[in-house]
Every structure is written in structure tokens, then in C-alpha cells.
Amino acid sequence: MPKEDQNELNKLMRNLPGVEKLLQTPVLRDLGQTAPHDLLVEAARQTLDETRQNIRQGQFLFTDLDLEVLAGEVARRVEQSLESSLREVINATGVILHTNLGRAPLSREAIAAVAASAGSYSNLEYDLESGERGSRLSHIESLLARLSGAEAAIAVNNNAAAVFMVLTAFAQGKEVILSRGQAVEIGGGFRIPDVMRQTGARLVEVGTTNKTYATDYESAVTPETAMLMRVHSSNFKIIGFTANPDLKELAEIAHRHNLLLVDDLGSGTLLDTARYGLTHEPTVGDSIRAGADIVTFSGDKLLGGPQAGLIAGKKEYIARLRKHPLARALRLDKMTLAALQATLQHYLRDEAERKIPVWQMLSRQPGDLREQAGRWQARLERVWPGATIVQGESTIGGGSLPGETLPTWLLALPVPPDSSINRLQAELRSQRPPVIGRVEHDCLLFDPRTVLDFQEETLLATLEHLASQDSQ
Ligand SMILES: *Cc1c(COP(=O)(O)O)cnc(C)c1O
């Protein structure tokens, strides 16, 4: 480094204020009225440390390091640490069950039920008729059993917990027979073989990755066997030369040997997806009718409710689960129960498609989506040259119906010459609320299918705002 630069650097370092001096600036004195002192001190230290590092790396050479600028940076950090990090986002990706974006948004009725249960006392575990202690699960048990066509049902924290509980309760120290093609990873560290090990169940893999026959299960039965298990291939597809026995055949084998048949459906659905132009995703009713003793599925996949693990099946097994020590460890909280009950009631009243956002999105028609994307384009083309609409595909996501798509229309915004895709996406993420879209062929794409009604205006205003910012 030339000598003058070294001198300049030393001068910058010497001129840096101390923490106390920073905290005495008007901005931070103001902020200090409301923000905790230790947060201010911490943010001031961090800002100064980083500034010193930047100076050493030459990033601040020959520029002014104004006291006000530094104080502004400290204030920004303090404000950021005071606001909540979990916030609403606009999902314009067209992925209906986006696990990273919180899966299923709740219906209006479910949201109201959550708010009511959260903000007041309730009869959560209180029997209003007898005035005695009641069961929190009573609010959903018979509803869930009726809708799934099972004798009984309970619910726990999520489907991973449901599978864990069923294996622990019925297969600990025993063998579970599973097709090799189903010893899968569901995602986020949930691998069926690992889960089995954790519960103390011994996995007995049969068949091959692509083909497993009923006889493979049958010949693997030993005196140590507790159950046959099927795991739905939620997030992948094996196509071509494949075979898997019907659940009915598995039920026949299981029951002939006095074994349990457990079906982990993953998404599980109460409505037939074939009605929406999709492949038939096995319904909970299908599995129960085929003879599964226990069926497990998620509350926040195609059911369209809160995160929960639903377990439906034969009375005697559900009764044992209800009394299992894990039932307490994995139990649902009152807000989830409220949302779950409200969601299930939509199915009971036969209004799921109209009321549950996931099903509203699934059932939207291309013509309607084209019209909406067209309205977006008409509004944006005034500020965003080249804004257009294109045909595309929405996906189900969330480990349901892999490879299946729904035809849609998207708003496509080209990247202005003075910007870049990465910069635009970063800007979209920094908006309030952040907007998450898709990128294809150097265009930003926005799918109306997953944008909630009340977010539409905000989305368009945000895109307009971005356009005017970029043209400056
Ligand atoms: C999604 C899924 C799970 C996990 O369900 P969560 O509700 O996310 O815990 C388990 N098994 C299968 C087959 C799944 O698709």
C-alpha cells in the first residue's frame, strides 16, 4: 500500500467515534427512549467492528465516514432486531403447498377459530355438559373419523410425529416389513429407515427398488413381525417397469398373520384430486376401505389446514395410541386444534372447495387465471416495458402429486437493461411484504394462482414501485 493510503487509513481509524459518542447522536438518543440500552450498545459495537474491518480492506478509503451515517446504520440494526423476523410473504411461485413458505394458508373460518381460542378461555379440556374434565381431542376425533370413514381417529403435532408414534407404540423391538422402494427420505432429515431405528423397530426391506410383490411381504413374515407398512411415494415417482401390490392384498396378508397394516399416506386427501384434472391421489377413505388398520397423514398438505399429524384407524389401536405416553409429548395446542376443527368442518359441510384456500387454488381454471394475469399486465405495462403474459404450469408441491402440474397463465416481467435477475429478486425479497416469484428465461414470473386475494393490490403496487425505482 502506498504511504499516503496508509496515512489515510490510519486517519480514518483514528477518526472513528467510540460507542459512547455514537450513542450521543440525536438519532440514537431518540431511539434510546424506546429501545433497550444493551441492544443499542451491541449494535454500535458491531457497526464499529465491521467499519474497522471495511477500512482495513480498503473499502472506505477516501470516503467520508460521517457520524450521522454510522448512527443511521446502528439505528437500522436496532430496529431490525426489534421487529419480528417471521412475516407475511406473497407467494407468486405457483407452488400451492410451498413447505418453505408455510404450506397451506388457512380458511377465514379457521383463522377466526385460532384467534378466538388464542384470545380467551375455552372448553379445551372441559366438558360443558357434565362440568368435568374433558379431552382436548374430543373436538376433532369423531369429525375426523367420520370424514375418513374410520372407526376412530386422533391427531398429533405433524405427520412425522404420527409415524413415529405408531411405530413406537406397535413395533418397538419388532420387525416392520416395507418395500425397498418405500424406504425413502420424505425431506428435512425424515428418512423412514432412520425413523424406524429411532423407534426401536427393525426394518425388513423386501422386493427391489422398482418391483415388489405380495409374495415378497408374505415370505418375510416371522414370529418377530409386528406390521406391514406402506409409505406413499409423496415426492417422487418411479415409472416404467414397476410393481407394487394393492393395499387390499397387503391387508389380506397382514390380517392372515395377525399383523397390523399401517399406511403412511403423507399428504392424504379427503377429496378426489382426479376431479381437478390431476392424478388420483389416494384418499384416506380409499386406504381405510382397502383394510389399512392405521392411516397417517398431514394436516397442512392437501387437507389445507394447520400443521398436524392425523391418525385414523381401528378403534382398539387408536385407543392404545390415545393412552401412549407420547400422546402427551406430541399433543396439539389449542390454536392448532381450533384451526383443525374449522378446516374439517368445511369438509363436513361439503364446502371445502369454496372455503379452503388450497382447494380454491387447485380448482382455478386457466381462463380465469389468464384474465387475472392479463389485468396485471395491463396495469404494469405502463411502467414496465415488455411486461407480458405467458402460459405456464403451477405445481402442487409439499410432497404431493410429484410431477403433476396445473396449466396456468403468468405475468412475465423482463429484466431492465440496467438491472439483473439477482438484483431484482433481492429487491422483491426486501419489500414489505416480500414477494417470492419464479425465474425463467431471464424473466420474472408471477403466478396468480397462489397470490391470495387480499395480497393482489399490494403485489401490483410493489411491482409498480420497483419499476419506478429502477428507472431512476
Ligand atoms: C410429508 C410426509 C411426511 C411428513 O409429514 P409432516 O406433516 O411434514 O411431518 C411423512 N410421510 C410422508 C409419506 C409424507 O409425504
Short mmCIF file of all heavy atoms in Angstrom, two decimals, residues 99 103 157-161 163 184 186 190 192 231-235 264-267 296-301 307-309 398-400, ligand 1:
data_model
loop_
_atom_site.label_atom_id
_atom_site.label_comp_id
_atom_site.label_asym_id
_atom_site.label_seq_id
_atom_site.Cartn_x
_atom_site.Cartn_y
_atom_site.Cartn_z
N THR A 99 -43.45 -25.72 1.18
CA THR A 99 -43.07 -26.02 2.57
C THR A 99 -42.27 -24.87 3.18
O THR A 99 -42.47 -24.50 4.33
CB THR A 99 -42.30 -27.35 2.65
OG1 THR A 99 -43.19 -28.39 2.21
CG2 THR A 99 -41.87 -27.66 4.06
N ARG A 103 -46.52 -23.92 3.82
CA ARG A 103 -47.58 -24.82 3.33
C ARG A 103 -48.95 -24.14 3.25
O ARG A 103 -49.05 -23.06 2.70
CB ARG A 103 -47.64 -26.09 4.17
CG ARG A 103 -46.42 -26.99 3.92
CD ARG A 103 -46.71 -28.43 4.34
NE ARG A 103 -45.50 -29.24 4.25
CZ ARG A 103 -45.23 -30.27 5.03
NH1 ARG A 103 -46.09 -30.65 5.97
NH2 ARG A 103 -44.11 -30.95 4.87
N ASN A 157 -48.80 -33.68 16.58
CA ASN A 157 -48.12 -32.48 16.11
C ASN A 157 -47.88 -32.36 14.60
O ASN A 157 -48.04 -31.30 14.02
CB ASN A 157 -46.78 -32.41 16.86
CG ASN A 157 -46.10 -31.12 16.64
OD1 ASN A 157 -46.70 -30.07 16.79
ND2 ASN A 157 -44.86 -31.17 16.22
N ASN A 158 -47.47 -33.42 13.96
CA ASN A 158 -47.36 -33.43 12.50
C ASN A 158 -47.30 -34.88 12.04
O ASN A 158 -47.32 -35.79 12.88
CB ASN A 158 -46.15 -32.62 12.00
CG ASN A 158 -44.83 -33.10 12.56
OD1 ASN A 158 -44.75 -34.18 13.16
ND2 ASN A 158 -43.79 -32.33 12.38
N ASN A 159 -47.25 -35.11 10.76
CA ASN A 159 -47.30 -36.49 10.29
C ASN A 159 -46.03 -37.25 10.65
O ASN A 159 -46.06 -38.46 10.87
CB ASN A 159 -47.55 -36.53 8.78
CG ASN A 159 -47.85 -37.93 8.30
OD1 ASN A 159 -48.43 -38.72 9.03
ND2 ASN A 159 -47.45 -38.24 7.09
N ALA A 160 -44.90 -36.55 10.70
CA ALA A 160 -43.66 -37.20 11.13
C ALA A 160 -43.86 -37.76 12.55
O ALA A 160 -43.46 -38.89 12.85
CB ALA A 160 -42.50 -36.21 11.09
N ALA A 161 -44.49 -36.97 13.40
CA ALA A 161 -44.76 -37.41 14.77
C ALA A 161 -45.75 -38.57 14.78
O ALA A 161 -45.62 -39.51 15.58
CB ALA A 161 -45.31 -36.25 15.59
N VAL A 163 -46.17 -40.90 12.45
CA VAL A 163 -45.46 -42.12 12.04
C VAL A 163 -44.58 -42.61 13.19
O VAL A 163 -44.56 -43.80 13.52
CB VAL A 163 -44.59 -41.84 10.79
CG1 VAL A 163 -43.69 -43.02 10.47
CG2 VAL A 163 -45.48 -41.51 9.59
N VAL A 184 -37.76 -44.46 2.04
CA VAL A 184 -37.44 -43.20 1.38
C VAL A 184 -37.15 -42.06 2.34
O VAL A 184 -37.41 -42.16 3.55
CB VAL A 184 -38.62 -42.77 0.46
CG1 VAL A 184 -38.81 -43.79 -0.64
CG2 VAL A 184 -39.90 -42.62 1.26
N ILE A 186 -38.37 -38.39 3.19
CA ILE A 186 -39.52 -37.52 2.94
C ILE A 186 -39.06 -36.07 2.80
O ILE A 186 -39.71 -35.25 2.18
CB ILE A 186 -40.53 -37.62 4.11
CG1 ILE A 186 -40.91 -39.07 4.38
CG2 ILE A 186 -41.76 -36.78 3.86
CD1 ILE A 186 -41.65 -39.78 3.29
N PHE A 190 -36.09 -36.45 7.46
CA PHE A 190 -37.05 -37.50 7.84
C PHE A 190 -36.90 -38.66 6.86
O PHE A 190 -37.47 -38.66 5.78
CB PHE A 190 -38.47 -36.94 7.81
CG PHE A 190 -39.50 -37.88 8.41
CD1 PHE A 190 -39.64 -38.00 9.79
CD2 PHE A 190 -40.32 -38.65 7.60
CE1 PHE A 190 -40.58 -38.86 10.33
CE2 PHE A 190 -41.26 -39.51 8.14
CZ PHE A 190 -41.39 -39.61 9.51
N ILE A 192 -37.29 -42.73 6.41
CA ILE A 192 -38.03 -43.85 7.02
C ILE A 192 -37.09 -44.82 7.75
O ILE A 192 -37.37 -45.17 8.91
CB ILE A 192 -38.90 -44.56 5.95
CG1 ILE A 192 -40.00 -43.61 5.46
CG2 ILE A 192 -39.48 -45.85 6.47
CD1 ILE A 192 -41.08 -43.28 6.50
N VAL A 231 -45.50 -46.79 2.61
CA VAL A 231 -45.23 -45.35 2.65
C VAL A 231 -45.51 -44.79 1.26
O VAL A 231 -44.92 -45.25 0.28
CB VAL A 231 -43.76 -45.06 3.07
CG1 VAL A 231 -43.49 -43.57 3.03
CG2 VAL A 231 -43.48 -45.63 4.45
N HIS A 232 -46.41 -43.86 1.20
CA HIS A 232 -46.77 -43.30 -0.09
C HIS A 232 -45.59 -42.54 -0.69
O HIS A 232 -44.91 -41.79 0.01
CB HIS A 232 -47.97 -42.36 0.09
CG HIS A 232 -48.45 -41.77 -1.19
ND1 HIS A 232 -48.77 -42.55 -2.29
CD2 HIS A 232 -48.68 -40.50 -1.57
CE1 HIS A 232 -49.17 -41.77 -3.26
NE2 HIS A 232 -49.12 -40.52 -2.86
N SER A 233 -45.36 -42.73 -1.99
CA SER A 233 -44.25 -42.01 -2.64
C SER A 233 -44.73 -40.60 -2.94
O SER A 233 -45.18 -40.30 -4.04
CB SER A 233 -43.81 -42.72 -3.91
OG SER A 233 -44.92 -42.92 -4.75
N SER A 234 -44.63 -39.76 -1.91
CA SER A 234 -45.22 -38.42 -1.99
C SER A 234 -44.46 -37.49 -2.91
O SER A 234 -45.05 -36.64 -3.56
CB SER A 234 -45.20 -37.77 -0.60
OG SER A 234 -45.89 -38.54 0.31
N ASN A 235 -43.13 -37.60 -2.88
CA ASN A 235 -42.35 -36.55 -3.51
C ASN A 235 -41.46 -37.06 -4.64
O ASN A 235 -40.51 -36.42 -5.04
CB ASN A 235 -41.51 -35.81 -2.46
CG ASN A 235 -40.75 -36.77 -1.57
OD1 ASN A 235 -40.74 -37.97 -1.82
ND2 ASN A 235 -40.12 -36.26 -0.52
N ASP A 264 -48.78 -44.97 5.60
CA ASP A 264 -48.41 -43.55 5.73
C ASP A 264 -48.72 -42.87 4.41
O ASP A 264 -47.96 -42.98 3.46
CB ASP A 264 -46.93 -43.41 6.09
CG ASP A 264 -46.51 -41.94 6.13
OD1 ASP A 264 -47.40 -41.07 6.25
OD2 ASP A 264 -45.30 -41.66 6.02
N LEU A 265 -49.81 -42.14 4.38
CA LEU A 265 -50.25 -41.52 3.13
C LEU A 265 -49.53 -40.22 2.82
O LEU A 265 -49.59 -39.72 1.71
CB LEU A 265 -51.75 -41.23 3.21
CG LEU A 265 -52.69 -42.35 2.80
CD1 LEU A 265 -54.12 -41.85 2.83
CD2 LEU A 265 -52.35 -42.86 1.41
N GLY A 266 -48.87 -39.65 3.83
CA GLY A 266 -48.21 -38.36 3.59
C GLY A 266 -49.24 -37.27 3.48
O GLY A 266 -49.82 -36.84 4.46
N SER A 267 -49.50 -36.86 2.25
CA SER A 267 -50.47 -35.79 2.07
C SER A 267 -51.85 -36.24 2.51
O SER A 267 -52.50 -35.62 3.34
CB SER A 267 -50.50 -35.36 0.61
OG SER A 267 -51.37 -34.29 0.47
N THR A 296 -51.90 -42.67 8.41
CA THR A 296 -51.38 -41.39 8.92
C THR A 296 -51.28 -40.39 7.77
O THR A 296 -50.94 -40.77 6.65
CB THR A 296 -49.98 -41.56 9.55
OG1 THR A 296 -49.09 -42.01 8.54
CG2 THR A 296 -49.99 -42.57 10.69
N PHE A 297 -51.57 -39.13 8.06
CA PHE A 297 -51.44 -38.09 7.03
C PHE A 297 -51.29 -36.70 7.66
O PHE A 297 -51.49 -36.54 8.86
CB PHE A 297 -52.60 -38.14 6.02
CG PHE A 297 -53.99 -38.01 6.61
CD1 PHE A 297 -54.72 -36.84 6.43
CD2 PHE A 297 -54.56 -39.05 7.33
CE1 PHE A 297 -56.00 -36.72 6.94
CE2 PHE A 297 -55.84 -38.94 7.85
CZ PHE A 297 -56.56 -37.77 7.66
N SER A 298 -50.93 -35.73 6.83
CA SER A 298 -50.61 -34.37 7.31
C SER A 298 -51.84 -33.48 7.36
O SER A 298 -52.73 -33.60 6.52
CB SER A 298 -49.59 -33.70 6.39
OG SER A 298 -48.33 -34.29 6.51
N GLY A 299 -51.83 -32.53 8.28
CA GLY A 299 -52.91 -31.55 8.35
C GLY A 299 -52.72 -30.41 7.38
O GLY A 299 -53.68 -29.77 6.95
N ASP A 300 -51.45 -30.14 7.01
CA ASP A 300 -51.19 -28.93 6.22
C ASP A 300 -50.73 -29.21 4.80
O ASP A 300 -50.11 -28.38 4.16
CB ASP A 300 -50.21 -28.01 6.95
CG ASP A 300 -48.89 -28.70 7.29
OD1 ASP A 300 -48.79 -29.94 7.09
OD2 ASP A 300 -47.96 -28.02 7.76
N LYS A 301 -51.01 -30.41 4.31
CA LYS A 301 -50.78 -30.64 2.88
C LYS A 301 -52.13 -30.50 2.19
O LYS A 301 -52.77 -29.46 2.34
CB LYS A 301 -50.13 -32.01 2.69
CG LYS A 301 -48.67 -32.03 3.21
CD LYS A 301 -47.98 -33.34 2.89
CE LYS A 301 -46.55 -33.37 3.43
NZ LYS A 301 -45.98 -34.72 3.30
N GLN A 307 -50.56 -27.26 10.61
CA GLN A 307 -49.62 -28.37 10.77
C GLN A 307 -50.17 -29.34 11.81
O GLN A 307 -50.49 -28.95 12.94
CB GLN A 307 -48.27 -27.84 11.25
CG GLN A 307 -47.26 -28.96 11.48
CD GLN A 307 -46.03 -28.48 12.19
OE1 GLN A 307 -45.36 -27.58 11.71
NE2 GLN A 307 -45.73 -29.08 13.33
N ALA A 308 -50.32 -30.58 11.43
CA ALA A 308 -50.81 -31.61 12.35
C ALA A 308 -50.56 -32.96 11.72
O ALA A 308 -50.34 -33.06 10.51
CB ALA A 308 -52.31 -31.44 12.63
N GLY A 309 -50.55 -34.00 12.54
CA GLY A 309 -50.45 -35.36 12.03
C GLY A 309 -51.72 -36.09 12.40
O GLY A 309 -52.06 -36.18 13.58
N GLY A 398 -45.11 -29.49 -1.71
CA GLY A 398 -45.35 -30.02 -0.38
C GLY A 398 -45.43 -31.53 -0.31
O GLY A 398 -46.15 -32.09 0.50
N GLY A 399 -44.71 -32.21 -1.19
CA GLY A 399 -44.75 -33.66 -1.15
C GLY A 399 -46.11 -34.21 -1.50
O GLY A 399 -46.61 -35.12 -0.85
N SER A 400 -46.74 -33.64 -2.51
CA SER A 400 -47.99 -34.20 -3.00
C SER A 400 -47.95 -34.21 -4.52
O SER A 400 -47.50 -33.25 -5.13
CB SER A 400 -49.20 -33.36 -2.58
OG SER A 400 -49.14 -33.05 -1.23
C1 LIG B 1 -44.96 -35.16 4.16
C2 LIG B 1 -44.84 -36.57 4.57
C3 LIG B 1 -44.49 -36.92 5.89
C4 LIG B 1 -44.19 -35.88 6.93
O1 LIG B 1 -45.34 -35.14 7.22
P1 LIG B 1 -45.22 -33.77 8.06
O2 LIG B 1 -46.65 -33.40 8.32
O3 LIG B 1 -44.49 -32.81 7.20
O4 LIG B 1 -44.48 -34.09 9.31
C5 LIG B 1 -44.40 -38.27 6.20
N1 LIG B 1 -44.64 -39.21 5.29
C6 LIG B 1 -44.98 -38.92 4.01
C7 LIG B 1 -45.22 -40.03 3.04
C8 LIG B 1 -45.09 -37.58 3.61
O5 LIG B 1 -45.41 -37.27 2.35
#
